[in-house]
Amino acid sequence: MVRDRREARRVMGVAYARPVAMGDALELLSGFGGRAVLLAGGTDLLVKLRAGALAPEAIIDVKSVREAGGGVTRLDNSVLLGAGTAMTDLVQSGLMQELFPALVEAAARVGSRQIRNRATVAGNLCNASPAADTAPPLLTYGAQVVTATPEGGRVVELGDLFCGPGRTVLGSAELVTGVEVPIPAKGSGSAFGRVTRRRGSDIASVSVSVAIAGERVRIGMGAVGPTPVVVTEERWAFGSAFRSACGSGVRSPAAWEAIVDRVVGAARPISDVRAGKEYRSAMLRVMIERVSKRALLRAGEI
Amino acid sequence: MSRADDFVDVAVVVNGELHHRRVSATRTLLDMLREELDLTGTKRCCLAGECGACTVQMDGKLVDSCLVLAAEADGADVVTVEGLGRTGELTRFQQALLDGGGVQCGYCTPGQVVVGEALLAENPAPTLAEVREAFSGNLCRCGCYPQIIEALLSLTGVDGK
């Protein structure tokens, strides 16, 4: 009989638990000592299990843990995205559309409708793919990841979360409860764009997110390095350079090109199954310009 | 304190009927539907959430059943292609697909039907862009995309219903 190579053969001895109390979830995780995996939307986990990339002893389904549930909550100066918030719910939230359009644009492109109905923001971040769509926007918004641990939990700046492809700094008994995103100041604007091989369901070949707020412009980039990256530029210089390069009248692109050079300098694109290194480098420049234009428009800079 | 179990008892409503099954921790909803409940309309294809052939409705939302553990479906309300329309009758979208040449090998068809019916239920008059977007999670290796989309559009308030 021909074996389906994509089936994980090690299906014996994997246990499933669906704790309701956070304490139980953390106790289970501690008890399995790093040999358990967390299940939220399952859209990355089940693919990895089937491919044999993971061979855990237990699957801890956290969807019933109330403290790690979904929901969009407005706080004084920030919005708290519950860990279990599905992409679909994020996209449909009026509050998210108003305050974080780049994140909504990114979440709306994750996979397909079927995937978005299950995939969660926390899962997207914890899976830590360099191409994770929600990472560049959240990085540009200065998001923080809130966790629970047996010792009480912590807050991790998103920029400190990723330590390599598929790897985060989170411990084996650490559970994300939410992502807190500071509300941008008035006069802000943000946008997201990505390059994919096809128009339907696909993983990004290159993604760019730009957030303009206060005196800063942050440019987040995905799929062009071992982790998603973010670069900060000064707002006035950024807008002025863009207008000189792309506005009407005589064009002087030097300042804009210098900024783009600096931004792409933080990227380390490689060639892989989705795209070649040279293509990524070229498309990164194109997307920086296109997405910057939309963000600048929204911020009232052009 | 909860435990982790190798086998899980699942109570799930499928197409309006309640079923109780004991499944292994790694059994997918897709395989439970096909193997334990003999509902083979939903198809096994990429097993990676890329093709949509395994699409079902779970608690009113379209999902790839290959990416849902049967254990996760405990307490859920699932609708498969077999549960659409009335027994022995084709739905309007199914008939439109047949009339319009939207079925060649037929393997992607159940997934397309589940998605199409969900779209019509939520939006009886979608635009072309909305139809394309709705079906973007369903691949068709035979290339019937234009016919599938046209079949859906033929039902959008144009006829005298």
Side-chain angles (χ1 to χ4, degrees), chain A residues 70-74 79-82 85 89-90 93 95-96 100:
Chain A
V72 177
T73 309
R74 179 161 188 160
V79 171
L80 182 62
L81 278 171
T85 306
D89 298 324
L90 193 170
S93 157
L95 184 65
M96 297 305 294
F100 305 108

Side-chain angles (χ1 to χ4, degrees), chain A residues 194-248:
Chain A
R194 63 177 205 167
V195 174
T196 51
R197 292 162 298 173
R198 48 181 184 254
R199 270 182 282 178
S201 174
D202 204 355
I203 292 173
S205 297
V206 168
S207 65
V208 172
S209 200
V210 177
I212 300 167
E215 300 303 315
R216 277 186 326 238
V217 177
R218 287 205 188 110
I219 303 105
M221 297 174 280
V224 288
T227 66
V229 294
V230 64
V231 172
T232 303
E233 291 287 323
E234 196 274 321
R235 178 179 184 153
W236 188 88
F238 189 87
S240 163
F242 186 90
R243 283 188 292 271
S244 302
C246 308
S248 52

Side-chain angles (χ1 to χ4, degrees), chain A residues 117-170:
Chain A
N117 282 336
R118 297 289 287 176
T120 65
V121 176
N124 194 224
L125 297 177
C126 293
N127 185 58
S129 162
D133 293 306
T134 64
L138 284 168
L139 282 168
T140 65
Y141 290 132
Q144 298 176 316
V145 176
V146 185
T147 74
T149 64
E151 297 77 35
R154 58 174 168 161
V155 175
V156 180
E157 293 293 323
L158 185 59
D160 296 331
L161 182 73
F162 309 112
C163 53
R167 291 187 298 122
T168 69
V169 300
L170 302 179

Side-chain angles (χ1 to χ4, degrees), chain A:
Chain A
M1 178 176 120
V2 175
R3 278 159 56 140
D4 180 351
R5 277 184 305 236
R6 287 173 305 178
E7 292 278 350
R9 298 321 297 175
R10 215 191 139 255
V11 295
M12 301 303 284
V14 181
Y16 171 91
R18 188 158 179 165
V20 172
M22 174 61 83
D24 287 352
L26 294 175
E27 202 173 333
L28 278 164
L29 285 171
S30 299
F32 278 102
R35 294 180 304 278
V37 291
L38 292 170
L39 171 63
T43 55
D44 285 315
L45 181 66
L46 265 72
V47 178
K48 286 180 173 175
L49 283 175
R50 192 166 283 123
L54 291 171
E57 289 181 12
I59 296 167
I60 312 298
D61 184 343
V62 293
K63 289 191 286 295
S64 292
V65 178
R66 197 170 29 88
E67 296 93 324
V72 177
T73 309
R74 179 161 188 160
L75 305 174
D76 284 334
N77 300 306
S78 63
V79 171
L80 182 62
L81 278 171
T85 306
M87 298 297 174
T88 298
D89 298 324
L90 193 170
V91 169
Q92 291 177 350
S93 157
L95 184 65
M96 297 305 294
Q97 290 167 14
E98 177 202 334
L99 296 176
F100 305 108
L103 179 59
V104 170
E105 285 171 344
R109 301 294 303 279
V110 169
S112 61
R113 232 173 227 229
Q114 291 90 320
I115 297 279
R116 291 191 289 277
N117 282 336
R118 297 289 287 176
T120 65
V121 176
N124 194 224
L125 297 177
C126 293
N127 185 58
S129 162
D133 293 306
T134 64
L138 284 168
L139 282 168
T140 65
Y141 290 132
Q144 298 176 316
V145 176
V146 185
T147 74
T149 64
E151 297 77 35
R154 58 174 168 161
V155 175
V156 180
E157 293 293 323
L158 185 59
D160 296 331
L161 182 73
F162 309 112
C163 53
R167 291 187 298 122
T168 69
V169 300
L170 302 179
S172 59
E174 186 160 21
L175 185 52
V176 175
T177 58
V179 179
E180 188 165 352
V181 198
I183 294 174
K186 284 253 174 289
S188 66
S190 59
F192 170 88
R194 63 177 205 167
V195 174
T196 51
R197 292 162 298 173
R198 48 181 184 254
R199 270 182 282 178
S201 174
D202 204 355
I203 292 173
S205 297
V206 168
S207 65
V208 172
S209 200
V210 177
I212 300 167
E215 300 303 315
R216 277 186 326 238
V217 177
R218 287 205 188 110
I219 303 105
M221 297 174 280
V224 288
T227 66
V229 294
V230 64
V231 172
T232 303
E233 291 287 323
E234 196 274 321
R235 178 179 184 153
W236 188 88
F238 189 87
S240 163
F242 186 90
R243 283 188 292 271
S244 302
C246 308
S248 52
V250 176
R251 305 252 175 118
S252 57
W256 176 248
E257 293 301 320
I259 288 177
V260 175
D261 285 344
R262 200 157 52 234
V263 172
V264 305
R268 302 269 181 277
I270 60 168
S271 296
D272 68 11
V273 61
R274 279 182 285 279
K277 174 178 165 180
E278 292 75 15
Y279 180 76
R280 284 195 151 107
S281 295
M283 290 303 105
L284 189 54
R285 299 187 80 93
V286 171
M287 292 312 289
I288 287 170
E289 181 175 318
R290 286 190 188 173
V291 178
S292 293
K293 180 174 183 174
R294 287 171 41 229
L296 287 162
L297 271 164
R298 285 175 174 163
E301 292 282 340
I302 58 174

